[in-house]
Amino acid sequence: MSEDIRQSLGLRPVINVSGTMTGLGASIAVPEAVAAVPKIMTQFVEMNDLQRKAGEIIARLTGAEAGFVTASCSSGISLAVAGAITGPDLLAVERLPETTTSKKEVIVQVGHIVNYGAPVDQAIRLVGGTMVPIGQATSTHRFHLENAITENTAAAVYVVSHHVVDYGLLHLSEFVEIAHARGVPVIVDAASEYDLRGFLETGADMALYSGHKFLGGPTSGIVAGRKDMVRNAYIQNYGIGRGMKVGKESIFGVMAALEAWETRDHEGIRAREKSYLDLWKDTLDGRPGINAVIDPDPTKNPLDRLKVMIDPAEARITAWDMAAALAAGDPPIIVRDHEAEHQYFYLDPCNLHPGQEHIVARRLGEELDRAQRSNDIIATPIEDLSRHRFDSLLKWPD
Ligand SMILES: *Cc1c(COP(=O)(O)O)cnc(C)c1O
């Protein structure tokens, strides 16, 4: 095992059982990407040509006509929407976020306007797009989309994610059918999705992915789709995209990650992850107030997680206090706790180094034992979580 750089930096050696999290450094880069990056760091390349090469690989894997690499999926949303607004007009590209056209409305279902670490709508507004939210949080009907489309509609954005409301909204096939009937292009934010072909096959004009999530590339985003739209997004690099610049190392690194994806042992990885889930479930089964079940991914990615449901009266600790205890422990273990207010959290196996599963199992047992010995039920008021959520951030760098 090579040295852990975190020690010399004085950083906590966190173990990530929360999934692919920007706040923890995204994912473990695949060995192919790690090997690729230093090969290009010291070379000059003509970047538009490097992006042409990346585009060929993206096209092969996604079935798209064209593609390129950007700084992140979030910047992919901004560039794709910018391209839909400016078209190939270079003066319009330079003028963004000011627009010379009234055709800048972007339709999004309300149930898709989520926060992935930043608001979806901000990525759209950033480039001069005007948000046109349709429907309500948990319902969109065909008539909402049909009536929202006008001659000012530049694009419609569809978000595929565990963050979005997962019932009552329009399915992508209907969304595309209605938009295309009125000549409106559909841009899909598929940042965290394993399916590189399905959204385009369903008719989306552009599909956007993160390069640093399941693909295990360096921090990057992937834009794939119709050639004219991809080109209009690409030319934004000479305007508003400059502040979202992607370097040669990320482009080349994600090219390697994409090629590795084609030959990745998906079955083997699934089996290894299953063994982690079984280990944790065995550790937890039979403990008072704990119910651990294996839960498939909500957007059907080939990934299961362990859902750890806690009855605080029996376990003598709440789900959020358990998550906090693990995060404060040695070593710190970060669980997937966005829904802890419902008294459960998830253990996500997809970003573990082999061997860490045993540390996670041990720490789960230790904290639950400690809670059993506690005189009082360990229960921080839930309101304290929201009250103090940004305390640390707002004191940064202290
Ligand atoms: C992660 C995520 C993003 C942002 O991706 P980055 O590549 O980190 O910018 C956008 N949309 C959704 C749904 C995401 O999950």
Side-chain angles (χ1 to χ4, degrees), residues 20 22 71-77 114 116 120 159-164 189-193 209-213 219-221:
T20 304
T22 288
S72 61
C73 187
S74 188
S75 56
I77 300 170
V114 294
Y116 48 74
V120 165
V159 182
V160 182
S161 168
H162 66 272
H163 292 295
V164 304
D189 170 6
S192 241
E193 302 309 300
Y209 296 90
S210 290
H212 49 262
K213 290 187 176 174
T219 302
S220 56

Side-chain angles (χ1 to χ4, degrees), residues 67-355:
F68 68 92
V69 180
T70 181
S72 61
C73 187
S74 188
S75 56
I77 300 170
S78 294
L79 300 183
V81 168
I85 294 171
T86 65
D89 178 348
L90 288 171
L91 185 61
V93 168
E94 272 193 8
R95 290 184 59 158
L96 284 187
E98 285 166 23
T99 48
T100 42
T101 172
S102 54
K103 193 170 170 154
K104 57 179 177 181
E105 292 181 358
V106 180
I107 297 172
V108 192
Q109 300 182 81
V110 170
H112 282 187
I113 306 176
V114 294
N115 186 306
Y116 48 74
V120 165
D121 57 290
Q122 188 173 39
I124 293 167
R125 290 184 287 107
L126 191 61
V127 293
T130 306
M131 283 287 292
V132 179
I134 57 168
Q136 296 86 34
T138 56
S139 72
T140 319
H141 301 297
R142 298 176 65 95
F143 63 79
H144 289 123
L145 180 53
E146 284 162 353
N147 286 288
I149 297 173
T150 70
E151 69 276 7
N152 291 330
T153 308
V157 169
Y158 192 98
V159 182
V160 182
S161 168
H162 66 272
H163 292 295
V164 304
V165 173
D166 63 357
Y167 62 94
L169 306 191
L170 289 174
H171 289 274
L172 179 61
S173 56
E174 284 181 281
F175 195 84
V176 166
E177 174 209 318
I178 296 165
H180 282 185
R182 308 283 294 276
V184 171
V186 173
I187 299 165
V188 174
D189 170 6
S192 241
E193 302 309 300
Y194 284 53
D195 182 354
L196 293 177
R197 305 186 82 95
F199 309 110
L200 294 172
E201 276 167 8
T202 304
D205 300 274
M206 296 180 99
L208 314 171
Y209 296 90
S210 290
H212 49 262
K213 290 187 176 174
F214 61 90
L215 281 169
T219 302
S220 56
I222 290 166
V223 175
R226 240 172 66 189
K227 191 187 273 188
D228 60 331
M229 290 189 70
V230 169
R231 182 185 298 127
N232 292 341
Y234 186 73
I235 63 175
Q236 306 301 323
N237 285 311
Y238 293 85
I240 209 157
R242 177 55 187 250
M244 312 168 190
K245 177 165 75 175
V246 64
K248 59 190 175 184
E249 64 283 2
S250 284
I251 300 171
F252 193 53
V254 84
M255 285 165 71
L258 281 164
E259 292 194 310
W261 182 253
E262 291 183 290
T263 56
R264 192 187 283 201
D265 176 12
H266 294 278
E267 291 298 310
I269 291 171
R270 198 95 205 260
R272 192 181 72 215
E273 292 178 355
K274 173 81 166 49
S275 77
Y276 299 169
L277 299 181
D278 289 342
L279 170 71
W280 299 332
K281 186 165 160 48
D282 285 349
T283 304
L284 295 170
D285 277 349
R287 285 180 176 269
I290 303 293
N291 183 11
V293 296
I294 294 178
D295 212 28
D297 179 75
T299 63
K300 303 193 181 65
N301 287 317
L303 168 72
D304 297 328
R305 300 184 180 89
L306 194 68
K307 182 175 186 179
V308 181
M309 292 174 272
I310 297 185
D311 172 358
E314 295 279 320
R316 306 193 63 73
I317 188 166
T318 67
W320 56 90
D321 284 295
M322 182 72 186
L326 291 166
D330 180 21
I333 293 173
I334 314 298
V335 303
R336 192 174 181 88
D337 67 348
H338 335 351
E339 296 165 53
E341 65 195 86
H342 292 306
Q343 297 295 4
Y344 59 79
F345 58 76
Y346 291 94
L347 300 174
D348 185 315
C350 78
N351 271 301
L352 280 192
H353 291 289

